[in-house]
DNA sequence: TATAATAATTGTAACAATTACAAAAGTGTA
DNA sequence: TACACTTTTGTAATTGTTACAATTATTATA
């Protein structure tokens, strides 16, 4: 896996013929700098301070584009809001039910297998835990 | 783990001081007979045929109650709708991105561990895959 | 059994996340 | 510059879910 740098992402985007508008750049920048699995609303609210004309639709559009291009993953650990992660490497997520924080943890999702799935084509594997984080215990 | 029978569920509910109204019984019955990970809307639409006065709010209320009582699990494999599963045994879910079906598969989620989580209290473990099912390939 | 207290259900309204869509603005190329 | 094409914007619509108060049902008690 490649490190998350602008250079790598830019190359990927060029490969996939996605051109980097000002808004898209800012959203990507935000995801790289804030690897806290933000919601659309968090991304919009924070970016909107410096870009007053930014539309929430643009945030939705861009994220959908990045997800389709496999540069971003959606985390559906909670049923009421999607969260976005620019770190598409093999890892798990645990949500603290006390403070709401979603933490990354190391787990080799590739090695998860089941004989029941021999005839399936598997495209994506997600591991979600819930519990209480050390700070909240 | 106990098998999913009315008798076992009834005992569990009595233990937890949840009384079985007509509506709750019907919803439980539905979940036992339709282990297809239905949405609230599917449950409501199907039950409403025989119970014309059933309210969707009741379906929501009952499911919330059953989840809190650990008799039902929410599946958040998709970000836009919650699905419900009366089978709370250790297993994974895979969604076919072509036909939308969510299949169960055997996997020992209990054995999933990560050294990063030593200081966490872990309450729930979910494994979600996406791909293409044998029928759709 | 009658009655009071409590719990559950219903239906509507409110809410929040997301999508649809058309107009406006921006970009690249001949 | 002119034209085609892409992207953004803002609003409206849609969808899943929750809040809430009135009604109905159930349970406990005298």
């Amino acid at each position: 896996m490649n490190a998350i740098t602008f250079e790598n992402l830019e190359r990927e985007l060029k490969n996939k013929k996605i051109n980097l508008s000002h808004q898209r750049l800012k959203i990507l920048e935000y995801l790289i700098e804030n690897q806290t699995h933000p919601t659309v609303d968090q991304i919009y609210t924070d970016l909107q301070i410096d870009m007053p004309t930014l539309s929430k639709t643009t945030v939705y559009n861009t994220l959908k584009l990045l997800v389709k291009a496999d540069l971003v993953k959606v985390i559906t650990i909670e049923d009421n809001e999607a969260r976005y992660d620019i770190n598409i490497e093999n890892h798990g997520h645990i949500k603290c039910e006390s403070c709401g924080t979603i933490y990354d943890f190391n787990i080799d999702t590739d090695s998860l297998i089941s004989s029941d799935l021999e005839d399936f084509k598997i495209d994506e594997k997600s591991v979600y835990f819930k519990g209480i984080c050390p700070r909240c215990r």
mmCIF file of all heavy atoms in Angstrom, chain D residues 1-10 12 18-21 25-29:
data_model
loop_
_atom_site.group_PDB
_atom_site.id
_atom_site.type_symbol
_atom_site.label_atom_id
_atom_site.label_comp_id
_atom_site.label_asym_id
_atom_site.label_seq_id
_atom_site.Cartn_x
_atom_site.Cartn_y
_atom_site.Cartn_z
ATOM 1 P P DT D 1 -11.499 37.596 -24.892
ATOM 2 O OP1 DT D 1 -11.767 39.022 -24.847
ATOM 3 O OP2 DT D 1 -11.724 36.711 -23.744
ATOM 4 O "O5'" DT D 1 -12.150 36.938 -26.179
ATOM 5 C "C5'" DT D 1 -12.225 37.613 -27.417
ATOM 6 C "C4'" DT D 1 -12.848 36.635 -28.382
ATOM 7 O "O4'" DT D 1 -12.002 35.452 -28.495
ATOM 8 C "C3'" DT D 1 -14.225 36.124 -27.927
ATOM 9 O "O3'" DT D 1 -15.065 36.012 -29.081
ATOM 10 C "C2'" DT D 1 -13.927 34.770 -27.305
ATOM 11 C "C1'" DT D 1 -12.751 34.277 -28.150
ATOM 12 N N1 DT D 1 -11.816 33.349 -27.435
ATOM 13 C C2 DT D 1 -11.593 32.111 -27.965
ATOM 14 O O2 DT D 1 -12.118 31.715 -28.986
ATOM 15 N N3 DT D 1 -10.709 31.328 -27.257
ATOM 16 C C4 DT D 1 -10.042 31.669 -26.106
ATOM 17 O O4 DT D 1 -9.281 30.883 -25.559
ATOM 18 C C5 DT D 1 -10.319 32.987 -25.602
ATOM 19 C C7 DT D 1 -9.649 33.460 -24.339
ATOM 20 C C6 DT D 1 -11.181 33.753 -26.268
ATOM 21 P P DA D 2 -16.643 35.770 -28.861
ATOM 22 O OP1 DA D 2 -17.355 36.511 -29.928
ATOM 23 O OP2 DA D 2 -16.997 35.975 -27.445
ATOM 24 O "O5'" DA D 2 -16.758 34.218 -29.191
ATOM 25 C "C5'" DA D 2 -16.292 33.709 -30.444
ATOM 26 C "C4'" DA D 2 -16.526 32.217 -30.481
ATOM 27 O "O4'" DA D 2 -15.532 31.552 -29.651
ATOM 28 C "C3'" DA D 2 -17.892 31.785 -29.935
ATOM 29 O "O3'" DA D 2 -18.383 30.736 -30.767
ATOM 30 C "C2'" DA D 2 -17.599 31.303 -28.519
ATOM 31 C "C1'" DA D 2 -16.185 30.738 -28.678
ATOM 32 N N9 DA D 2 -15.351 30.790 -27.466
ATOM 33 C C8 DA D 2 -15.312 31.769 -26.503
ATOM 34 N N7 DA D 2 -14.439 31.551 -25.556
ATOM 35 C C5 DA D 2 -13.860 30.333 -25.923
ATOM 36 C C6 DA D 2 -12.864 29.544 -25.309
ATOM 37 N N6 DA D 2 -12.239 29.878 -24.191
ATOM 38 N N1 DA D 2 -12.525 28.389 -25.941
ATOM 39 C C2 DA D 2 -13.157 28.057 -27.074
ATOM 40 N N3 DA D 2 -14.103 28.722 -27.739
ATOM 41 C C4 DA D 2 -14.412 29.854 -27.096
ATOM 42 P P DC D 3 -19.911 30.225 -30.593
ATOM 43 O OP1 DC D 3 -20.509 30.130 -31.938
ATOM 44 O OP2 DC D 3 -20.583 31.001 -29.512
ATOM 45 O "O5'" DC D 3 -19.666 28.749 -30.078
ATOM 46 C "C5'" DC D 3 -18.773 27.877 -30.802
ATOM 47 C "C4'" DC D 3 -18.450 26.690 -29.920
ATOM 48 O "O4'" DC D 3 -17.556 27.105 -28.871
ATOM 49 C "C3'" DC D 3 -19.669 26.072 -29.234
ATOM 50 O "O3'" DC D 3 -19.846 24.748 -29.715
ATOM 51 C "C2'" DC D 3 -19.355 26.141 -27.745
ATOM 52 C "C1'" DC D 3 -17.845 26.367 -27.702
ATOM 53 N N1 DC D 3 -17.360 27.160 -26.540
ATOM 54 C C2 DC D 3 -16.234 26.732 -25.856
ATOM 55 O O2 DC D 3 -15.641 25.701 -26.219
ATOM 56 N N3 DC D 3 -15.788 27.458 -24.789
ATOM 57 C C4 DC D 3 -16.437 28.560 -24.425
ATOM 58 N N4 DC D 3 -15.951 29.241 -23.382
ATOM 59 C C5 DC D 3 -17.586 29.020 -25.116
ATOM 60 C C6 DC D 3 -18.017 28.298 -26.153
ATOM 61 P P DA D 4 -21.102 23.854 -29.184
ATOM 62 O OP1 DA D 4 -21.639 23.076 -30.327
ATOM 63 O OP2 DA D 4 -22.000 24.693 -28.362
ATOM 64 O "O5'" DA D 4 -20.321 22.863 -28.227
ATOM 65 C "C5'" DA D 4 -19.152 22.199 -28.704
ATOM 66 C "C4'" DA D 4 -18.543 21.412 -27.566
ATOM 67 O "O4'" DA D 4 -17.979 22.341 -26.601
ATOM 68 C "C3'" DA D 4 -19.540 20.537 -26.796
ATOM 69 O "O3'" DA D 4 -18.946 19.270 -26.575
ATOM 70 C "C2'" DA D 4 -19.791 21.304 -25.509
ATOM 71 C "C1'" DA D 4 -18.475 22.045 -25.302
ATOM 72 N N9 DA D 4 -18.583 23.318 -24.579
ATOM 73 C C8 DA D 4 -19.554 24.270 -24.704
ATOM 74 N N7 DA D 4 -19.379 25.314 -23.931
ATOM 75 C C5 DA D 4 -18.203 25.029 -23.245
ATOM 76 C C6 DA D 4 -17.470 25.728 -22.283
ATOM 77 N N6 DA D 4 -17.835 26.933 -21.809
ATOM 78 N N1 DA D 4 -16.344 25.157 -21.796
ATOM 79 C C2 DA D 4 -15.982 23.951 -22.268
ATOM 80 N N3 DA D 4 -16.588 23.198 -23.183
ATOM 81 C C4 DA D 4 -17.709 23.797 -23.632
ATOM 82 P P DC D 5 -19.727 18.115 -25.812
ATOM 83 O OP1 DC D 5 -19.326 16.804 -26.362
ATOM 84 O OP2 DC D 5 -21.148 18.501 -25.694
ATOM 85 O "O5'" DC D 5 -19.048 18.252 -24.375
ATOM 86 C "C5'" DC D 5 -17.620 18.324 -24.264
ATOM 87 C "C4'" DC D 5 -17.268 18.549 -22.813
ATOM 88 O "O4'" DC D 5 -17.514 19.933 -22.465
ATOM 89 C "C3'" DC D 5 -18.116 17.707 -21.854
ATOM 90 O "O3'" DC D 5 -17.243 16.945 -21.038
ATOM 91 C "C2'" DC D 5 -18.928 18.726 -21.061
ATOM 92 C "C1'" DC D 5 -18.050 19.984 -21.165
ATOM 93 N N1 DC D 5 -18.786 21.261 -21.021
ATOM 94 C C2 DC D 5 -18.250 22.244 -20.189
ATOM 95 O O2 DC D 5 -17.175 22.014 -19.600
ATOM 96 N N3 DC D 5 -18.897 23.428 -20.032
ATOM 97 C C4 DC D 5 -20.040 23.639 -20.680
ATOM 98 N N4 DC D 5 -20.641 24.820 -20.504
ATOM 99 C C5 DC D 5 -20.613 22.651 -21.545
ATOM 100 C C6 DC D 5 -19.962 21.489 -21.678
ATOM 101 P P DT D 6 -17.847 15.993 -19.875
ATOM 102 O OP1 DT D 6 -17.049 14.745 -19.900
ATOM 103 O OP2 DT D 6 -19.323 15.976 -19.966
ATOM 104 O "O5'" DT D 6 -17.431 16.802 -18.572
ATOM 105 C "C5'" DT D 6 -16.111 17.348 -18.478
ATOM 106 C "C4'" DT D 6 -16.037 18.166 -17.209
ATOM 107 O "O4'" DT D 6 -16.799 19.395 -17.358
ATOM 108 C "C3'" DT D 6 -16.602 17.461 -15.971
ATOM 109 O "O3'" DT D 6 -15.621 17.539 -14.958
ATOM 110 C "C2'" DT D 6 -17.878 18.234 -15.640
ATOM 111 C "C1'" DT D 6 -17.553 19.616 -16.191
ATOM 112 N N1 DT D 6 -18.716 20.454 -16.609
ATOM 113 C C2 DT D 6 -18.830 21.727 -16.103
ATOM 114 O O2 DT D 6 -18.034 22.210 -15.310
ATOM 115 N N3 DT D 6 -19.922 22.441 -16.546
ATOM 116 C C4 DT D 6 -20.884 22.011 -17.441
ATOM 117 O O4 DT D 6 -21.807 22.748 -17.766
ATOM 118 C C5 DT D 6 -20.708 20.656 -17.939
ATOM 119 C C7 DT D 6 -21.704 20.101 -18.907
ATOM 120 C C6 DT D 6 -19.648 19.943 -17.498
ATOM 121 P P DT D 7 -15.821 16.907 -13.538
ATOM 122 O OP1 DT D 7 -14.481 16.507 -13.048
ATOM 123 O OP2 DT D 7 -16.940 15.945 -13.588
ATOM 124 O "O5'" DT D 7 -16.303 18.165 -12.685
ATOM 125 C "C5'" DT D 7 -15.473 19.320 -12.623
ATOM 126 C "C4'" DT D 7 -16.183 20.377 -11.803
ATOM 127 O "O4'" DT D 7 -17.312 20.889 -12.536
ATOM 128 C "C3'" DT D 7 -16.739 19.867 -10.470
ATOM 129 O "O3'" DT D 7 -16.114 20.624 -9.444
ATOM 130 C "C2'" DT D 7 -18.243 20.087 -10.570
ATOM 131 C "C1'" DT D 7 -18.345 21.183 -11.625
ATOM 132 N N1 DT D 7 -19.598 21.224 -12.438
ATOM 133 C C2 DT D 7 -20.304 22.410 -12.517
ATOM 134 O O2 DT D 7 -19.974 23.433 -11.933
ATOM 135 N N3 DT D 7 -21.421 22.367 -13.304
ATOM 136 C C4 DT D 7 -21.896 21.274 -14.017
ATOM 137 O O4 DT D 7 -22.909 21.367 -14.695
ATOM 138 C C5 DT D 7 -21.109 20.060 -13.887
ATOM 139 C C7 DT D 7 -21.535 18.831 -14.612
ATOM 140 C C6 DT D 7 -20.011 20.089 -13.113
ATOM 141 P P DT D 8 -16.522 20.469 -7.917
ATOM 142 O OP1 DT D 8 -15.313 20.773 -7.130
ATOM 143 O OP2 DT D 8 -17.247 19.199 -7.730
ATOM 144 O "O5'" DT D 8 -17.551 21.662 -7.756
ATOM 145 C "C5'" DT D 8 -17.146 22.987 -8.091
ATOM 146 C "C4'" DT D 8 -18.308 23.928 -7.870
ATOM 147 O "O4'" DT D 8 -19.350 23.607 -8.814
ATOM 148 C "C3'" DT D 8 -18.941 23.830 -6.479
ATOM 149 O "O3'" DT D 8 -18.886 25.123 -5.897
ATOM 150 C "C2'" DT D 8 -20.370 23.335 -6.738
ATOM 151 C "C1'" DT D 8 -20.600 23.741 -8.184
ATOM 152 N N1 DT D 8 -21.534 22.895 -8.981
ATOM 153 C C2 DT D 8 -22.620 23.483 -9.594
ATOM 154 O O2 DT D 8 -22.884 24.676 -9.495
ATOM 155 N N3 DT D 8 -23.401 22.637 -10.346
ATOM 156 C C4 DT D 8 -23.203 21.276 -10.542
ATOM 157 O O4 DT D 8 -23.963 20.622 -11.239
ATOM 158 C C5 DT D 8 -22.051 20.722 -9.862
ATOM 159 C C7 DT D 8 -21.753 19.252 -10.010
ATOM 160 C C6 DT D 8 -21.283 21.539 -9.128
ATOM 161 P P DT D 9 -19.257 25.332 -4.370
ATOM 162 O OP1 DT D 9 -18.384 26.410 -3.867
ATOM 163 O OP2 DT D 9 -19.303 24.022 -3.706
ATOM 164 O "O5'" DT D 9 -20.753 25.882 -4.495
ATOM 165 C "C5'" DT D 9 -21.045 26.916 -5.432
ATOM 166 C "C4'" DT D 9 -22.544 27.108 -5.559
ATOM 167 O "O4'" DT D 9 -23.082 26.073 -6.427
ATOM 168 C "C3'" DT D 9 -23.333 27.024 -4.257
ATOM 169 O "O3'" DT D 9 -23.906 28.286 -3.993
ATOM 170 C "C2'" DT D 9 -24.393 25.936 -4.508
ATOM 171 C "C1'" DT D 9 -24.387 25.766 -6.010
ATOM 172 N N1 DT D 9 -24.637 24.389 -6.519
ATOM 173 C C2 DT D 9 -25.650 24.180 -7.438
ATOM 174 O O2 DT D 9 -26.378 25.070 -7.847
ATOM 175 N N3 DT D 9 -25.795 22.881 -7.860
ATOM 176 C C4 DT D 9 -25.041 21.797 -7.475
ATOM 177 O O4 DT D 9 -25.253 20.685 -7.930
ATOM 178 C C5 DT D 9 -23.998 22.079 -6.510
ATOM 179 C C7 DT D 9 -23.117 20.961 -6.019
ATOM 180 C C6 DT D 9 -23.846 23.346 -6.085
ATOM 181 P P DG D 10 -24.453 28.658 -2.571
ATOM 182 O OP1 DG D 10 -24.317 30.115 -2.363
ATOM 183 O OP2 DG D 10 -23.928 27.702 -1.584
ATOM 184 O "O5'" DG D 10 -26.007 28.350 -2.793
ATOM 185 C "C5'" DG D 10 -26.676 28.932 -3.893
ATOM 186 C "C4'" DG D 10 -28.095 28.417 -3.936
ATOM 187 O "O4'" DG D 10 -28.126 27.109 -4.555
ATOM 188 C "C3'" DG D 10 -28.750 28.248 -2.561
ATOM 189 O "O3'" DG D 10 -30.040 28.825 -2.638
ATOM 190 C "C2'" DG D 10 -28.770 26.751 -2.329
ATOM 191 C "C1'" DG D 10 -28.849 26.201 -3.751
ATOM 192 N N9 DG D 10 -28.257 24.878 -3.939
ATOM 193 C C8 DG D 10 -27.189 24.337 -3.263
ATOM 194 N N7 DG D 10 -26.878 23.128 -3.673
ATOM 195 C C5 DG D 10 -27.802 22.861 -4.682
ATOM 196 C C6 DG D 10 -27.957 21.709 -5.495
ATOM 197 O O6 DG D 10 -27.295 20.667 -5.500
ATOM 198 N N1 DG D 10 -29.013 21.848 -6.389
ATOM 199 C C2 DG D 10 -29.814 22.953 -6.487
ATOM 200 N N2 DG D 10 -30.779 22.914 -7.399
ATOM 201 N N3 DG D 10 -29.686 24.036 -5.731
ATOM 202 C C4 DG D 10 -28.654 23.924 -4.851
ATOM 203 P P DA D 12 -37.042 26.126 -2.096
ATOM 204 O OP1 DA D 12 -38.081 27.129 -2.359
ATOM 205 O OP2 DA D 12 -36.554 25.870 -0.720
ATOM 206 O "O5'" DA D 12 -37.507 24.733 -2.724
ATOM 207 C "C5'" DA D 12 -37.258 24.463 -4.109
ATOM 208 C "C4'" DA D 12 -37.525 23.000 -4.362
ATOM 209 O "O4'" DA D 12 -36.331 22.228 -4.055
ATOM 210 C "C3'" DA D 12 -38.636 22.414 -3.505
ATOM 211 O "O3'" DA D 12 -39.383 21.516 -4.320
ATOM 212 C "C2'" DA D 12 -37.900 21.710 -2.378
ATOM 213 C "C1'" DA D 12 -36.634 21.232 -3.099
ATOM 214 N N9 DA D 12 -35.462 21.072 -2.238
ATOM 215 C C8 DA D 12 -35.029 21.889 -1.225
ATOM 216 N N7 DA D 12 -33.924 21.484 -0.646
ATOM 217 C C5 DA D 12 -33.614 20.314 -1.324
ATOM 218 C C6 DA D 12 -32.545 19.396 -1.185
ATOM 219 N N6 DA D 12 -31.575 19.530 -0.281
ATOM 220 N N1 DA D 12 -32.526 18.329 -2.012
ATOM 221 C C2 DA D 12 -33.514 18.211 -2.922
ATOM 222 N N3 DA D 12 -34.553 19.008 -3.142
ATOM 223 C C4 DA D 12 -34.544 20.049 -2.301
ATOM 224 P P DT D 18 -34.388 6.135 15.591
ATOM 225 O OP1 DT D 18 -33.139 6.116 16.363
ATOM 226 O OP2 DT D 18 -35.330 5.004 15.629
ATOM 227 O "O5'" DT D 18 -35.182 7.457 16.007
ATOM 228 C "C5'" DT D 18 -34.533 8.713 15.866
ATOM 229 C "C4'" DT D 18 -35.443 9.805 16.408
ATOM 230 O "O4'" DT D 18 -36.581 9.963 15.541
ATOM 231 C "C3'" DT D 18 -35.998 9.555 17.815
ATOM 232 O "O3'" DT D 18 -35.818 10.761 18.536
ATOM 233 C "C2'" DT D 18 -37.460 9.210 17.562
ATOM 234 C "C1'" DT D 18 -37.750 10.033 16.316
ATOM 235 N N1 DT D 18 -38.845 9.565 15.425
ATOM 236 C C2 DT D 18 -39.788 10.475 15.004
ATOM 237 O O2 DT D 18 -39.793 11.646 15.360
ATOM 238 N N3 DT D 18 -40.741 9.981 14.152
ATOM 239 C C4 DT D 18 -40.841 8.686 13.683
ATOM 240 O O4 DT D 18 -41.746 8.374 12.918
ATOM 241 C C5 DT D 18 -39.822 7.775 14.155
ATOM 242 C C7 DT D 18 -39.853 6.350 13.701
ATOM 243 C C6 DT D 18 -38.887 8.249 14.989
ATOM 244 P P DA D 19 -36.167 10.832 20.101
ATOM 245 O OP1 DA D 19 -34.959 11.389 20.763
ATOM 246 O OP2 DA D 19 -36.753 9.549 20.543
ATOM 247 O "O5'" DA D 19 -37.321 11.943 20.164
ATOM 248 C "C5'" DA D 19 -37.482 12.878 19.107
ATOM 249 C "C4'" DA D 19 -38.619 13.825 19.443
ATOM 250 O "O4'" DA D 19 -39.744 13.517 18.580
ATOM 251 C "C3'" DA D 19 -39.153 13.739 20.869
ATOM 252 O "O3'" DA D 19 -39.606 15.042 21.226
ATOM 253 C "C2'" DA D 19 -40.290 12.716 20.743
ATOM 254 C "C1'" DA D 19 -40.824 12.998 19.336
ATOM 255 N N9 DA D 19 -41.323 11.829 18.609
ATOM 256 C C8 DA D 19 -40.775 10.578 18.566
ATOM 257 N N7 DA D 19 -41.431 9.725 17.799
ATOM 258 C C5 DA D 19 -42.479 10.483 17.306
ATOM 259 C C6 DA D 19 -43.542 10.160 16.430
ATOM 260 N N6 DA D 19 -43.720 8.956 15.885
ATOM 261 N N1 DA D 19 -44.427 11.146 16.135
ATOM 262 C C2 DA D 19 -44.247 12.364 16.680
ATOM 263 N N3 DA D 19 -43.288 12.771 17.508
ATOM 264 C C4 DA D 19 -42.433 11.771 17.786
ATOM 265 P P DC D 20 -40.198 15.348 22.688
ATOM 266 O OP1 DC D 20 -39.910 16.767 22.965
ATOM 267 O OP2 DC D 20 -39.751 14.299 23.634
ATOM 268 O "O5'" DC D 20 -41.766 15.203 22.476
ATOM 269 C "C5'" DC D 20 -42.381 15.800 21.334
ATOM 270 C "C4'" DC D 20 -43.860 15.496 21.336
ATOM 271 O "O4'" DC D 20 -44.131 14.322 20.523
ATOM 272 C "C3'" DC D 20 -44.427 15.188 22.728
ATOM 273 O "O3'" DC D 20 -45.656 15.860 22.874
ATOM 274 C "C2'" DC D 20 -44.612 13.681 22.714
ATOM 275 C "C1'" DC D 20 -44.991 13.469 21.250
ATOM 276 N N1 DC D 20 -44.804 12.090 20.731
ATOM 277 C C2 DC D 20 -45.658 11.646 19.709
ATOM 278 O O2 DC D 20 -46.522 12.405 19.271
ATOM 279 N N3 DC D 20 -45.515 10.391 19.238
ATOM 280 C C4 DC D 20 -44.565 9.585 19.734
ATOM 281 N N4 DC D 20 -44.466 8.365 19.230
ATOM 282 C C5 DC D 20 -43.703 10.013 20.772
ATOM 283 C C6 DC D 20 -43.850 11.263 21.239
ATOM 284 P P DA D 21 -46.155 16.340 24.341
ATOM 285 O OP1 DA D 21 -45.624 17.703 24.559
ATOM 286 O OP2 DA D 21 -45.884 15.270 25.321
ATOM 287 O "O5'" DA D 21 -47.726 16.456 24.119
ATOM 288 C "C5'" DA D 21 -48.242 16.795 22.815
ATOM 289 C "C4'" DA D 21 -49.435 15.913 22.509
ATOM 290 O "O4'" DA D 21 -48.975 14.605 22.065
ATOM 291 C "C3'" DA D 21 -50.348 15.655 23.716
ATOM 292 O "O3'" DA D 21 -51.688 15.703 23.255
ATOM 293 C "C2'" DA D 21 -49.948 14.250 24.157
ATOM 294 C "C1'" DA D 21 -49.652 13.603 22.805
ATOM 295 N N9 DA D 21 -48.793 12.421 22.838
ATOM 296 C C8 DA D 21 -47.763 12.137 23.695
ATOM 297 N N7 DA D 21 -47.175 10.983 23.457
ATOM 298 C C5 DA D 21 -47.864 10.488 22.364
ATOM 299 C C6 DA D 21 -47.723 9.298 21.629
ATOM 300 N N6 DA D 21 -46.803 8.370 21.880
ATOM 301 N N1 DA D 21 -48.572 9.104 20.597
ATOM 302 C C2 DA D 21 -49.499 10.033 20.332
ATOM 303 N N3 DA D 21 -49.732 11.191 20.958
ATOM 304 C C4 DA D 21 -48.862 11.357 21.974
ATOM 305 P P DA D 25 -58.411 -1.288 22.456
ATOM 306 O OP1 DA D 25 -58.502 -2.241 21.328
ATOM 307 O OP2 DA D 25 -59.607 -0.949 23.258
ATOM 308 O "O5'" DA D 25 -57.265 -1.795 23.425
ATOM 309 C "C5'" DA D 25 -55.965 -2.049 22.894
ATOM 310 C "C4'" DA D 25 -55.057 -2.483 24.017
ATOM 311 O "O4'" DA D 25 -54.898 -1.400 24.948
ATOM 312 C "C3'" DA D 25 -55.585 -3.672 24.816
ATOM 313 O "O3'" DA D 25 -54.530 -4.628 24.834
ATOM 314 C "C2'" DA D 25 -55.891 -3.098 26.201
ATOM 315 C "C1'" DA D 25 -54.935 -1.912 26.273
ATOM 316 N N9 DA D 25 -55.340 -0.783 27.107
ATOM 317 C C8 DA D 25 -56.464 -0.019 26.986
ATOM 318 N N7 DA D 25 -56.549 0.955 27.863
ATOM 319 C C5 DA D 25 -55.386 0.824 28.609
ATOM 320 C C6 DA D 25 -54.871 1.562 29.704
ATOM 321 N N6 DA D 25 -55.498 2.623 30.236
ATOM 322 N N1 DA D 25 -53.686 1.160 30.211
ATOM 323 C C2 DA D 25 -53.071 0.105 29.671
ATOM 324 N N3 DA D 25 -53.458 -0.662 28.649
ATOM 325 C C4 DA D 25 -54.635 -0.243 28.154
ATOM 326 P P DT D 26 -54.732 -6.035 25.535
ATOM 327 O OP1 DT D 26 -53.941 -7.014 24.753
ATOM 328 O OP2 DT D 26 -56.176 -6.237 25.810
ATOM 329 O "O5'" DT D 26 -53.979 -5.818 26.919
ATOM 330 C "C5'" DT D 26 -52.616 -5.400 26.902
ATOM 331 C "C4'" DT D 26 -52.163 -5.158 28.325
ATOM 332 O "O4'" DT D 26 -52.852 -4.010 28.864
ATOM 333 C "C3'" DT D 26 -52.438 -6.316 29.283
ATOM 334 O "O3'" DT D 26 -51.185 -6.707 29.820
ATOM 335 C "C2'" DT D 26 -53.402 -5.729 30.330
ATOM 336 C "C1'" DT D 26 -53.099 -4.235 30.228
ATOM 337 N N1 DT D 26 -54.195 -3.283 30.597
ATOM 338 C C2 DT D 26 -53.961 -2.355 31.590
ATOM 339 O O2 DT D 26 -52.912 -2.295 32.203
ATOM 340 N N3 DT D 26 -55.005 -1.489 31.831
ATOM 341 C C4 DT D 26 -56.234 -1.468 31.191
ATOM 342 O O4 DT D 26 -57.078 -0.635 31.504
ATOM 343 C C5 DT D 26 -56.415 -2.464 30.163
ATOM 344 C C7 DT D 26 -57.709 -2.525 29.410
ATOM 345 C C6 DT D 26 -55.399 -3.329 29.908
ATOM 346 P P DT D 27 -51.069 -7.998 30.741
ATOM 347 O OP1 DT D 27 -49.775 -8.645 30.430
ATOM 348 O OP2 DT D 27 -52.338 -8.760 30.692
ATOM 349 O "O5'" DT D 27 -50.928 -7.337 32.183
ATOM 350 C "C5'" DT D 27 -49.968 -6.302 32.389
ATOM 351 C "C4'" DT D 27 -50.188 -5.708 33.767
ATOM 352 O "O4'" DT D 27 -51.343 -4.853 33.758
ATOM 353 C "C3'" DT D 27 -50.402 -6.750 34.867
ATOM 354 O "O3'" DT D 27 -49.400 -6.567 35.853
ATOM 355 C "C2'" DT D 27 -51.822 -6.474 35.380
ATOM 356 C "C1'" DT D 27 -52.041 -5.014 34.955
ATOM 357 N N1 DT D 27 -53.454 -4.608 34.668
ATOM 358 C C2 DT D 27 -53.942 -3.435 35.229
ATOM 359 O O2 DT D 27 -53.291 -2.739 35.968
ATOM 360 N N3 DT D 27 -55.240 -3.127 34.883
ATOM 361 C C4 DT D 27 -56.066 -3.846 34.049
ATOM 362 O O4 DT D 27 -57.211 -3.456 33.819
ATOM 363 C C5 DT D 27 -55.499 -5.059 33.500
ATOM 364 C C7 DT D 27 -56.334 -5.913 32.585
ATOM 365 C C6 DT D 27 -54.232 -5.389 33.825
ATOM 366 P P DA D 28 -49.317 -7.492 37.157
ATOM 367 O OP1 DA D 28 -47.881 -7.687 37.446
ATOM 368 O OP2 DA D 28 -50.221 -8.655 37.025
ATOM 369 O "O5'" DA D 28 -49.907 -6.495 38.228
ATOM 370 C "C5'" DA D 28 -49.440 -5.145 38.270
ATOM 371 C "C4'" DA D 28 -50.172 -4.396 39.367
ATOM 372 O "O4'" DA D 28 -51.507 -4.060 38.912
ATOM 373 C "C3'" DA D 28 -50.343 -5.179 40.666
ATOM 374 O "O3'" DA D 28 -50.113 -4.278 41.743
ATOM 375 C "C2'" DA D 28 -51.787 -5.681 40.619
ATOM 376 C "C1'" DA D 28 -52.469 -4.567 39.826
ATOM 377 N N9 DA D 28 -53.612 -4.967 39.005
ATOM 378 C C8 DA D 28 -53.747 -6.083 38.220
ATOM 379 N N7 DA D 28 -54.888 -6.153 37.570
ATOM 380 C C5 DA D 28 -55.560 -5.002 37.964
ATOM 381 C C6 DA D 28 -56.831 -4.479 37.630
ATOM 382 N N6 DA D 28 -57.666 -5.076 36.788
ATOM 383 N N1 DA D 28 -57.187 -3.309 38.196
ATOM 384 C C2 DA D 28 -56.333 -2.708 39.037
ATOM 385 N N3 DA D 28 -55.115 -3.091 39.431
ATOM 386 C C4 DA D 28 -54.789 -4.264 38.845
ATOM 387 P P DT D 29 -50.131 -4.793 43.268
ATOM 388 O OP1 DT D 29 -49.021 -4.111 43.956
ATOM 389 O OP2 DT D 29 -50.256 -6.275 43.284
ATOM 390 O "O5'" DT D 29 -51.504 -4.178 43.799
ATOM 391 C "C5'" DT D 29 -51.802 -2.801 43.499
ATOM 392 C "C4'" DT D 29 -53.198 -2.482 43.990
ATOM 393 O "O4'" DT D 29 -54.182 -2.899 42.999
ATOM 394 C "C3'" DT D 29 -53.578 -3.194 45.298
ATOM 395 O "O3'" DT D 29 -54.207 -2.263 46.158
ATOM 396 C "C2'" DT D 29 -54.546 -4.286 44.846
ATOM 397 C "C1'" DT D 29 -55.223 -3.604 43.654
ATOM 398 N N1 DT D 29 -55.840 -4.509 42.655
ATOM 399 C C2 DT D 29 -57.041 -4.141 42.093
ATOM 400 O O2 DT D 29 -57.619 -3.111 42.371
ATOM 401 N N3 DT D 29 -57.544 -5.038 41.172
ATOM 402 C C4 DT D 29 -56.975 -6.237 40.770
ATOM 403 O O4 DT D 29 -57.523 -6.946 39.937
ATOM 404 C C5 DT D 29 -55.719 -6.561 41.407
ATOM 405 C C7 DT D 29 -55.015 -7.827 41.048
ATOM 406 C C6 DT D 29 -55.215 -5.697 42.303
#
